[in-house]
Amino acid sequence: MPELASIVLAAGQGKRMRSARPKPLHRLCGKPLLSHVLAALRPLGPQPQVVVIGVGAEQVQAETSEPDVAWAVQEEQLGTGHAAACAREVLCGFTGDLLVTCADIPLVRTATWEHVLREHRESGAAATIVTALFDDPTGYGRVLRNAEGLVQRIVEESDCDEATRAVREGNVSLYAFQAPVLWAALETLMSGPPATAQGEYYLTDVVEVLVREGQKVIAVVAEEQEVMGINDRLQLAQAERIMRKRLNRRAMLEFGVTLVDPDHTYLGPDVTIGQDTVIYPGAVVQGNTHIGPNCLIGPHVFLEDSEIGEGSEIRHGSVVRDSVVGRRVTIGPFAHIRDHSSLGEGTRVGGGEVVRSRLGARVNDLHFSYLGDATVGDGANIGAGAITCNYDGQRKNPTIIEDGAFIGSDACLIAPVTIGRDAYVAAGSVITKDVPPEALAIGRARQENREGWARKMRK
Ligand code: UD1
Ligand code: CA
């Protein structure tokens, strides 16, 4: 079996997006377009996976978390043919098969790539292009075939006459090439005049070069929906809808999840969900989030890069980011758990905020509290409105609340401070000193009642 490598073209400006953000970084179901493309190719094992970058190169590199990407830079955007040629140096000496595509074609499945590669190898073609029959082929290069149905060339929309414009078969920018064939064809192409006055060379013109040389070029026809390109925000929204449907279908049919309203549930492609979990409308679950079985995810909940243990309930309007939630935990409504927090088994957090904090098991923290940089032991109780004062204007300081401690309502714990095991903090206290285990700490003005004061005042 010849070796396999891939090239993803991602150097263009993406003008039609009307965006300051490089197009490869626009998100589909919470994940950058480029990452979708790389993820679909990865299971085929291409080595290396080259990405050609140019406009916004540093940003694209910085925001792409996929491992093992080999970057190639296209300094000047001189078209897709020129961009592909820019990958040659990184692939120097590579003579196997090359899968080539663009960062703006995010819906392609691995199975389709496998099919394309199989056809390419079994037919012994020098090049394999992928096409689709579009209801409306506007924007796609048109695929011209001869009387025997063999592909002759691809004509870009801007170069179409009326007859070619009427062709519904579009080039979708998925290709397989024998690497030496592609390099030679690009050399031939780029020794001639460019396709546009701006000096661009089109990768699509390689087809005509190869056909002229008598090389074998075949076409694989794919589903229109799966191979759409994203050039503007309208297409981005269309693709989002298609991807969302696909992911929600998988959640229901493969994971065994109840989506109360799949038209209004937003799951990311890397999310996994356990059986019999129920998700209410408006929930957004993205990034590397893994939800256990038998959970309840309430309406308008936002979960990102988090783990939710079995049987937990995240109620209405809550946000959990970069955190780990244990089993049978309840959160919310309207809670905010973030920045590497963890909640132990059976813990309950009401509508408060938990930041960089570790809560043990069976902690009750039910009413609008704030825990920042805190470590809370098993079975502790955090009263309504109690807060850690973790920030002194310069530093974030830690608070330790040991097992079984009881923090009264509206207490302020000025960090750094430790509340000992099973200790009590009286409601309304401002705690500035450590509290020993099993002690009661009261830090507030003593109450004074003045009998008859109000009556005298009114007179
Ligand atoms: C391209 C194809 C067209 C096909 C369509 C499918 C060409 C000339 N046209 O058109 O036949 O129907 O895709 O979606 O190939 N890029 C670079 N460097 C450049 C120019 C572009 O890296 O100098 C990258 C872009 O970042 C993008 C991709 O190539 O990811 C395609 O460019 P785009 O301008 O979107 O091409 P289309 O007009 O969609
Ligand atoms: Ca495109």
Side-chain angles (χ1 to χ4, degrees), residues 280-300:
Y280 279 82
V284 179
V285 185
Q286 60 185 34
N288 259 313
T289 296
H290 305 288
I291 302 175
N294 291 311
C295 291
L296 189 145
I297 309 299
H300 302 286

Side-chain angles (χ1 to χ4, degrees), residues 16 23 80 102-105 139-140 172-173 228-232 235:
R16 292 163 279 183
K23 183 162 69 172
T80 49
C102 305
D104 63 354
I105 311 164
Y140 292 92
V172 304
S173 286
M228 70 176 289
I230 310 249
N231 295 318
D232 58 34
Q235 288 166 330

Side-chain angles (χ1 to χ4, degrees), residues 81-383:
H82 178 262
C86 289
R88 186 171 178 177
E89 212 179 289
V90 181
L91 285 163
C92 96
F94 178 84
T95 56
D97 291 313
L98 266 177
L99 301 177
V100 182
T101 188
C102 305
D104 63 354
I105 311 164
L107 297 173
V108 179
R109 296 170 212 253
T110 299
T112 298
W113 273 120
E114 284 167 348
H115 174 61
V116 170
L117 184 59
R118 201 177 320 120
E119 294 285 313
H120 177 69
R121 284 179 169 165
E122 281 173 7
S123 66
T128 300
I129 69 165
V130 180
T131 71
L133 288 174
F134 289 95
D135 281 340
D136 173 10
T138 304
Y140 292 92
R142 306 299 202 277
V143 176
L144 303 191
R145 298 181 184 247
N146 67 10
E148 287 97 69
L150 298 174
V151 173
Q152 297 301 290
R153 60 195 180 102
I154 298 169
V155 184
E156 288 307 299
E157 171 120 333
S158 50
D159 302 325
C160 281
D161 57 27
E162 221 166 295
T164 44
R165 188 159 296 139
V167 171
R168 282 181 46 222
E169 186 173 18
N171 165 47
V172 304
S173 286
L174 272 66
Y175 312 91
F177 294 102
Q178 293 170 6
V181 169
L182 176 63
W183 306 138
L186 283 171
E187 254 172 46
T188 307
L189 183 71
M190 290 167 65
S191 64
T196 66
Q198 293 75 43
E200 294 170 296
Y201 289 96
Y202 290 161
L203 181 55
T204 44
D205 287 339
V206 156
V207 169
E208 197 179 356
V209 171
L210 294 174
V211 169
R212 208 189 308 130
E213 289 171 353
Q215 306 244 35
K216 184 168 181 181
V217 178
I218 65 161
V220 171
V221 183
E223 275 294 317
E224 170 182 5
Q225 280 220 328
E226 190 182 338
V227 292
M228 70 176 289
I230 310 249
N231 295 318
D232 58 34
R233 309 265 184 168
L234 195 63
Q235 288 166 330
L236 183 65
Q238 285 164 350
E240 175 95 18
R241 199 172 311 127
I242 295 168
M243 179 65 85
R244 179 160 68 234
K245 264 202 167 149
R246 200 191 275 179
L247 294 171
N248 289 352
R249 201 183 144 82
R250 178 180 66 161
M252 293 185 283
L253 300 185
E254 289 176 33
F255 296 162
V257 172
T258 295
L259 302 183
V260 173
D261 181 359
D263 289 336
H264 297 93
T265 305
Y266 309 86
L267 307 177
D270 300 320
V271 167
T272 60
I273 309 171
Q275 202 171 311
D276 291 319
T277 284
V278 177
I279 304 187
Y280 279 82
V284 179
V285 185
Q286 60 185 34
N288 259 313
T289 296
H290 305 288
I291 302 175
N294 291 311
C295 291
L296 189 145
I297 309 299
H300 302 286
V301 162
F302 181 90
L303 305 177
E304 186 173 61
D305 295 327
S306 293
E307 263 172 59
I308 311 295
E310 175 173 359
S312 289
E313 268 185 43
I314 320 290
R315 294 175 182 153
H316 196 124
S318 295
V319 175
V320 181
R321 280 178 24 229
D322 300 312
S323 293
V324 177
V325 172
R327 291 142 62 106
R328 285 183 290 286
V329 167
T330 64
I331 293 174
F334 305 113
H336 191 183
I337 315 294
R338 62 184 174 97
D339 300 355
H340 308 288
S341 290
S342 64
L343 310 186
E345 179 160 353
T347 281
R348 302 188 294 161
V349 175
E353 187 174 4
V354 177
V355 183
R356 294 181 303 277
S357 292
R358 294 177 45 207
L359 276 57
R362 300 175 316 283
V363 172
N364 284 328
D365 170 22
L366 284 167
H367 316 283
F368 19 87
S369 70
Y370 169 67
L371 295 172
D373 302 292
T375 305
V376 180
D378 295 345
N381 183 88
I382 313 295

